[in-house]
Each structure stands twice: as structure tokens, then as C-alpha cells.
Amino acid sequence: MQIKIGIVGMQYVVDKLLKVIKAFPTFTPIVRIVNDEEQVPSAVETLMLEVEALLLFGAHSHRKVKENINVTVPVHYVPLTGAGLYKTLFRALQTGHLSGGISVDSLTKSMVMGALKDLGIEQTKVVVYSGPAHASPDKLFAFHHNLLSTGACSFAITGVESVARKLSDLQAANEWLIPSDQDMSVTLERALLSTESRRNKESQIVVGMIKVDDFGKLVMKRNNEHEVQKLKLDIHRMVLDYVESLDGYLTPLGGDEYLFFTTRGIFERETGGYKTIPLAKDANHSLGITLSLGVGFGTSANEAGTNARIALRKSIEAGGNICFIIREDQTLIGPLEMADPIQNVLSPTHAELIKRAEEAGMTSAYLSKLLSYTAKYGKYEYMVHELAALLDITVRSAHRLLLLWIDNGLVDISGVEKVPKGRPRQIYRFSFLKDKTIN
């Protein structure tokens, strides 16, 4: 089950947060755009019945909601910290706006002075608003306007959009200070942990299957049975240590395959939010081996185990050294970073897209290989011979599949490459893969 989170704010900051929230695949954002802070309470009132948590921007909006509405779900707001100030100060420095002094609201003096010191411009004259933490926009506007009109400062930095708009109407030099991506990520993490669905998911059983890639070849390279048994013990010990770090339970399924159980909350934290598998890097560095992993979530142990087996098959089909996760809604997450680094983090592949790809003749094996290659190398465009090599098929078969995928809207022709002799080669873009990259 996805967790619905209500997001209320102005278009610009909401658009920025929607990019950050792609790294939180559990969330389904429900958005309400407002034109100023005064509209926030009414937007929240209509939205709170649809969602499990609410996210606002700025302390003033948060205070107005708390004062005017009996909110029945957790409410969080993205605070302003010094992190968002650096870019603003750098731009002001480039345009010469710092020379006459600056006025700042929504931040503490220590935050502002810390940023100025880090940038080596601590001699800049600065006046920080020292009034109540939840001052109204009118008071903040008066603070900046008084300093700018008297020449005490020449540039205003405000965390309130309506104040920036009023100052701009008077043609006063100013900038609206918005939260950084880091501020947004921290708030989203807090919101996630506050939801009832999340608390339930924290204890949900996760099943994982680990397979040593090309184990038969590894065995053949050993000189005797003693070395083979020693290799098995070394692998078992390493996998056991990893599962112990997950507070999990491990069961060997043979010489080259293992089954483990853990809980979803621990697994998510240990993988950095489904991004990397430390075990794979350790195994490659210490033993020179690669692993394939399949992880399954489910509403029952049987469902989780079935999903883990399917995910492992996709990892093996992609060529190994890969981890895929299949959630209870059949969403596919991956590949996660293993022994080889990945360039791009891909957003979850939903069951509808997987079904659409398979109906277009793109088998599970082909899709797994394309997802893996995209994550590792950031490649979305192929010529026909490149695709044939990746999928281990003939050029004729690659041509046939490309025509089929073009007809079904999975692929389009992005251009041609001229060659010294012969006809130009067409370049095929896998648009649905490019759309899945988290920026």
C-alpha cells in the first residue's frame, strides 16, 4: 500500500519537492497549489481527509493551520536552514548586491553568520530580523522595507513568498529564500516515520534470496575439495555477518544460494532507502565474487517469498551482479548498486509498465537487462547492433523487436549516425527508461 501525503504550497517550491520525493517511492503525493500563505488552511481542510500526513512550507503556514484547523493527521513543514542560504548569497555576491548590506528574516543570526563565514564574506553588513519566530508577513515586510528605504541595507532575503512579492512590486532588490533539497529530504523522512502505514510497514516481513554468480566456474578453479569447502565457508560467514546486521534469520539453500528473513524498516535503512547492497561490495572486494539478489515484500510470508524468487530470477536474467526488489503491489525497484557502481537511480517500475512491456514483446529478461544497463551506464539510446549485443540476440531479431516496440510506444527513433560507407544507422531511444531516472 502506498502512503498518500498531502503537499500544500506555491507552485515553485512544490515542483522542487516533487523532484525530491521521487527518492521516496513509498509516498504518493496529493498536491494542492496555493497563491499565498492565507490560502493554506482551507487547502489543508479539504485535503486532510484523503491523506495520512501533510507537508507544508514555512513556519508561518504551519502556525496558521494549527491555529485555525483541528488537523487529524500528522502535519510537517519544511523549515529553512542555512543550507538554502548559500546559493542565494552566492548569486547576490555575483550581482554586487552584498556591498550595501543585507536584511534577512526566517533564519537565526548564527545561521546567517555561519554561511557568510563559510563563503569568506563575513565582513558583509547584515541585519537579521530579531522579532517573534512566527511573525506575520506584514511585520516582515515592514522590517525589510524600513531598512531598504532608509539605505541601511540594499538587498533583502526573505523566507516568505508574499513578502518577496511585495518588495518586488516596489522594485526593491530581494530574493525569496526557499528550502534546499536536503531540508526537504529530512522533512519527508520525518513525515514517513509519522504515518500509521509506515509504522505497520516497519515490522513487515521481508524475504531475500542470494545466489553466488557462476559458482560452478568458481569451484572448477579450485585445486582440491579442501579449497572448495573453504570457499563455501568464507561465503557463508560473509552472508551470515550481513544478515546479522539486518537482525535477520539466514537459511542456506545449497552451496551457492541463501534465504534470509528480516523486517522492512531495517532493510530500508541498511540499503540507504533501497539504493545499495553493502554485502555485494564486500564479497567482490574480499572474495572476488559477485552476487545476485532478489528481495520480496508482501502482506504474507508466502507472498514475500514468491516475490523474492521472481526478483532473483530477474537479477539472474539481467546477467547477475544485480539486486531487484518486488513489492506487494508488484512494483519493481532496482537495480540496486552492487559491486559495480551505478550512474542513475531509477524510480520504481510499476506493474502496469511491466505488463505493457511484456505485451509489446519485451520479455522479463530483456527488461531486466535494459534496466540494469541504464542504471550502470546511463544509456537510453542504442543502435541495432548495440542492442543485439546487450540482449544476446541476432541483429535481425533486434530489428524485429525494435519495430514491435516502436509500434507499442516503448521506443522512438531519435536520429541517425552517418557512416563513411553504406546507409546511415538509425538511433533508437528507449523513452520509457529515460522517464524513470530520478534527477
Side-chain angles (χ1 to χ4, degrees), residues 19 41 54 123 161 165 190 224 299 329 358 389 399 418:
K19 293 180 180 179
L54 284 159
Q123 73 282 357
E161 190 273 344
R165 194 172 351 115
R190 290 174 180 162
N224 53 56
T299 55
D329 61 358
E358 290 177 347
H399 265 300
K418 294 182 179 180

Side-chain angles (χ1 to χ4, degrees), residues 20-66:
V20 177
I21 207 171
K22 289 181 180 180
F24 294 79
T26 307
F27 273 141
T28 297
I30 310 296
V31 173
R32 294 290 186 275
I33 301 298
V34 297
N35 295 320
D36 59 54
E37 293 89 345
E38 300 304 316
Q39 297 175 358
V40 172
S42 60
V44 166
E45 195 166 21
T46 60
L47 188 58
M48 66 181 179
L49 299 177
E50 301 179 39
V51 299
E52 288 193 48
L54 284 159
L55 191 144
L56 313 174
F57 295 88
H60 181 66
S61 293
H62 183 253
R63 186 175 180 84
K64 285 189 73 68
V65 167
K66 287 291 188 180

